[in-house]
Amino acid sequence: TAQGMAQAFRVGEHLHHVIGSDGYSPDWRVQFYVSPYTRTRSTLHELRRYFLKKMIIGMREESGVREQDFGNFRVE
């Protein structure tokens, strides 16, 4: 949704500010890990717009961070 895209962009802005705060190297870089779900990849697409290409080491899809599956396999 438009609201979700705006929220993801603001998160990118916030992360950029936190990482760039005092105490961190001015040459910092980020590596993004994302689940294979479309919604998550869409969030990353918006979030990364706040970062210059030179700031991003890479983006990697990791099936181990599939947040939805945790509830599906939980036994109580």
Side-chain angles (χ1 to χ4, degrees):
T1 66
Q3 179 182 357
M5 289 188 300
Q7 288 173 338
F9 184 78
R10 286 194 306 271
V11 167
E13 179 181 21
H14 179 71
L15 287 173
H16 186 273
H17 173 74
V18 169
I19 295 169
S21 295
D22 292 336
Y24 288 93
S25 166
D27 299 323
W28 58 267
R29 304 287 183 270
V30 294
Q31 168 83 29
F32 291 108
Y33 293 88
V34 63
S35 79
Y37 294 116
T38 301
R39 181 176 172 183
T40 307
R41 286 183 279 137
S42 296
T43 298
L44 176 61
H45 176 76
E46 292 302 318
L47 186 149
R48 73 180 183 157
R49 289 176 49 210
Y50 208 85
F51 294 84
L52 298 174
K53 286 185 180 184
K54 70 178 188 172
M55 296 174 172
I56 301 173
I57 294 170
M59 293 170 281
R60 183 172 175 173
E61 189 175 286
E62 285 286 336
S63 61
V65 294
R66 296 178 307 214
E67 65 284 344
Q68 185 176 353
D69 288 349
F70 293 133
N72 293 341
F73 298 111
R74 193 170 72 190
V75 178
E76 293 186 28

